[in-house]
Amino acid sequence: MPNIRKSSHFRKGIAAAMLSSALVGGFLATGPLAAIVPAQAEAVRVDAPQQPGFADVVEKVSPAVVSVRVKSAIHQTADDGSGMPGLDQLPDDHPLKRFFYDFGGQGQRMEPRKGGPRDHNRPDRIRPTAQGSGFFISEDGYLVTNNHVVEDGSAYSVVLNDGTELDAKLIGKDKRTDLAVLKVDDKRKFTYVSFGDDNKIRVGQWVVAVGNPFGLGGTVTAGIVSARGRDIGAGPYDDFLQIDAAVNRGNSGGPAFNLNGEVVGINTAIFSPSGGSVGIAFAIPSTTAKGVVDQLIKTGSVSRGWIGVQIQPVNKEIAESLGLAEEKGALVAEPQADGPAAKAGVSAGDVITAVNGETVSDPRDLAKKIAAINPGKDVEMTVWRKGEAKSLNVAIKAMPGDNQQASKNPQQDEDSAKPSALDDYGLTVMPSDDGKGVVVTDVDRQGDAADKGITTGDIIVSVNNQPVKSGTEIETAITSATKAGRKAVLLQVQTNDQSRFVALPINQG
């Protein structure tokens, strides 16, 4: 019957299904549960657009960056081999000296000394004393680093990116900008980099630093330019780029690149309470470095313009006391005797406001402008004197050595005259022995003079650019300034060999 046949086929299907379930059930009942693992989902993967990086720049510039190794001559008799500096200066029978001879000194195994006395006439040995970074600027082996890396060295070598170590010789160095040039003589052609224009780089742009931190060799860090024109007190030409790339000990002399592979700065200093990177590093701008490096390669030294003046900034009070409309320029504290400025008629109290028509913003700006002028040339210098501008012709000379000093001031005798009190300012003064200025004999700690840093022993040479020889003349000068409507008086003060100007407010003592 059709229905029976249909039912038979149906029963057969059910039986087959039951058998299959039984087999599966039997397997599950008897087999380990861990044997059945569900199919896993794929790991998370994000198909984001490729972000720009620094790999292309690093690949190109890294062969030009080297590790600089410096060696110095170590005097053998300095510690006598005992670990105690200066033992060679003690008599041979001194108990301390015999003790360290007999027991090997600090850090050595304590055992009796064998043999006779040590030989103090051995030649000096060359030992590694410093490591830094540098970079090639020509294919024939000229490279740039910091002066403070090489200044105490007697032998130098550089380690290339591939690990090759080559000897180098010092071509020249400049302490004022902390730059030095080395030369590697080798037949190979070196990969080198060029200086870019740091004036085109903006705060916030990327820089890549490559160097030798802690002697690790080619290490790359990246960051942005955090600020420009930083003055960190390193010298008169401070104009550093501040970057936040990680720069550490050993990075000195290494380059900071822009994304075109050009050197825009040379890492020279860091601010670090801990000794390691805290994200504040300073680099010498490339435009400054290029001019210095060119001179070092050509002559081995740097020649700068010089006019021979002590200068200081013009603050608001000084500007008001002199009748200047703006707080700009460089106030001449003292022209050096027989210097170019003194010969041209520049006097203490003058404010240099322009050089060859270019405005001078501050003392650092003046120093840079004068240094950039070749010695032997004349410049037109604009000064502000007694309420009006005046032009002077100054013959620029070459800057003398670091030990060139201004002429000394004579010693002052504080007991040569009767003291005079300037109560409004908390000052007591008396005439100097040679009649040049008055000596400060007492300062009220609560007075305006103390607030401005005037101390006992200082010499007040002039008030409002008028020489003074007594307290009475100071009071007269103050009265004249008051009648002229001035809000402050300008005192020229000498402390030891240094001269400076101090602005004291009128009628506020």
Side-chain angles (χ1 to χ4, degrees):
M1 295 174 63
N3 287 337
I4 295 175
R5 284 198 298 270
K6 184 176 181 182
S7 177
S8 176
H9 289 301
F10 182 74
R11 292 192 185 102
K12 288 180 181 179
I14 293 175
M18 292 175 66
L19 177 61
S20 176
S21 297
L23 289 174
V24 173
F27 177 77
L28 289 174
T30 60
L33 293 176
I36 301 300
V37 179
Q40 295 184 0
E42 292 185 1
V44 173
R45 184 174 183 274
V46 179
D47 292 326
Q50 187 66 33
Q51 297 295 320
F54 310 105
D56 292 339
V57 176
V58 172
E59 182 180 3
K60 295 290 186 181
V61 303
S62 289
V65 182
V66 301
S67 299
V68 178
R69 295 182 177 177
V70 181
K71 300 177 181 179
S72 299
I74 305 299
H75 192 50
Q76 293 301 298
T77 60
D79 64 6
D80 199 30
S82 64
M84 290 290 291
L87 277 185
D88 60 310
Q89 305 299 321
L90 298 176
D92 289 337
D93 60 349
H94 194 282
L96 185 61
K97 191 170 186 178
R98 290 204 312 269
F99 173 82
F100 274 89
Y101 272 157
D102 290 339
F103 295 104
Q106 182 178 6
Q108 300 184 21
R109 192 166 52 139
M110 297 183 69
E111 61 182 10
R113 176 178 56 87
K114 298 179 181 179
R118 296 177 185 269
D119 182 7
H120 299 300
N121 296 319
R122 291 177 296 173
D124 295 346
R125 286 197 289 175
I126 304 297
R127 296 180 182 175
T129 57
Q131 290 191 97
S133 305
F135 57 97
F136 285 110
I137 57 170
S138 69
E139 67 176 9
D140 59 346
Y142 283 100
L143 64 97
V144 178
T145 186
N146 280 148
N147 171 72
H148 77 258
V149 172
V150 303
E151 63 179 342
D152 295 325
S154 56
Y156 313 93
S157 65
V158 299
V159 181
L160 308 184
N161 190 48
D162 61 5
T164 304
E165 185 169 1
L166 300 171
D167 290 335
K169 62 180 179 181
L170 181 64
I171 299 301
K173 56 185 180 180
D174 179 50
K175 185 174 183 178
R176 289 185 172 93
T177 55
D178 196 21
L179 290 168
V181 174
L182 298 173
K183 176 70 163 63
V184 177
D185 292 321
D186 196 81
K187 294 181 180 179
R188 75 183 73 192
K189 292 183 178 180
F190 296 99
T191 301
Y192 66 97
V193 291
S194 61
F195 288 110
D197 186 357
D198 67 273
N199 291 315
K200 295 181 179 179
I201 197 165
R202 299 162 60 199
V203 173
Q205 286 188 318
W206 285 107
V207 287
V208 178
V210 186
N212 179 36
F214 302 111
L216 294 173
T219 299
V220 180
T221 56
I224 63 170
V225 176
S226 304
R228 300 179 56 91
R230 288 300 197 207
D231 183 353
I232 62 174
Y237 311 113
D238 281 15
D239 187 23
F240 293 106
L241 297 176
Q242 181 183 325
I243 63 177
D244 74 344
V247 173
N248 288 286
R249 191 181 306 274
N251 273 111
S252 291
F257 296 100
N258 62 18
L259 297 189
N260 294 325
E262 299 170 322
V263 178
V264 293
I266 301 173
N267 300 316
T268 189
I270 63 174
F271 174 80
S272 175
S274 63
S277 173
V278 294
I280 301 177
F282 302 100
I284 303 166
S286 55
T287 50
T288 299
K290 189 177 186 306
V292 172
V293 167
D294 288 344
Q295 287 196 59
L296 291 176
I297 292 175
K298 291 177 182 178
T299 65
S301 61
V302 178
S303 179
R304 293 185 174 88
W306 173 76
I307 58 173
V309 288
Q310 293 180 21
I311 51 180
Q312 69 181 73
V314 176
N315 58 29
K316 182 179 180 180
E317 292 175 336
I318 289 176
E320 289 178 347
S321 68
L322 294 175
L324 281 169
E326 294 182 287
E327 302 167 34
K328 289 186 177 181
L331 176 61
V332 178
E334 183 179 7
Q336 183 168 320
D338 299 325
K343 290 181 178 179
V346 175
S347 304
D350 288 347
V351 178
I352 300 174
T353 58
V355 174
N356 285 337
E358 295 184 4
T359 301
V360 173
S361 58
D362 53 36
R364 185 176 59 177
D365 186 33
L366 175 64
K368 289 176 61 179
K369 281 181 167 59
I370 296 299
I373 301 172
N374 292 328
K377 290 188 175 181
D378 290 352
V379 298
E380 181 185 3
M381 186 173 294
T382 305
V383 300
W384 182 261
R385 178 186 298 172
K386 295 182 179 179
E388 60 182 8
K390 184 176 182 179
S391 294
L392 300 174
N393 192 57
V394 182
I396 304 297
K397 289 187 177 180
M399 183 176 291
D402 291 336
N403 51 3
Q404 177 77 21
Q405 297 181 356
S407 58
K408 301 287 184 179
N409 293 312
Q411 293 293 325
Q412 310 293 335
D413 183 0
E414 298 184 357
D415 297 323
S416 60
K418 182 179 178 180
S420 175
L422 298 169
D423 293 333
D424 283 348
Y425 299 98
L427 279 177
T428 302
V429 299
M430 65 176 153
S432 63
D433 187 37
D434 61 0
K436 296 180 180 179
V438 295
V439 179
V440 177
T441 59
D442 189 36
V443 180
D444 182 356
R445 294 183 180 181
Q446 305 300 319
D448 290 329
D451 290 342
K452 298 297 182 180
I454 297 177
T455 61
T456 301
D458 286 349
I459 302 170
I460 300 174
V461 178
S462 67
V463 177
N464 288 342
N465 294 323
Q466 297 295 323
V468 292
K469 299 179 181 179
S470 67
T472 301
E473 292 184 356
I474 294 178
E475 291 174 343
T476 300
I478 293 173
T479 300
S480 298
T482 303
K483 292 180 179 178
R486 298 285 173 85
K487 296 180 180 180
V489 290
L490 193 66
L491 275 61
Q492 183 183 4
V493 181
Q494 286 185 345
T495 305
N496 297 325
D497 297 329
Q498 299 296 318
S499 180
R500 72 185 191 280
F501 283 90
V502 175
L504 291 180
I506 293 177
N507 294 329
Q508 295 182 21

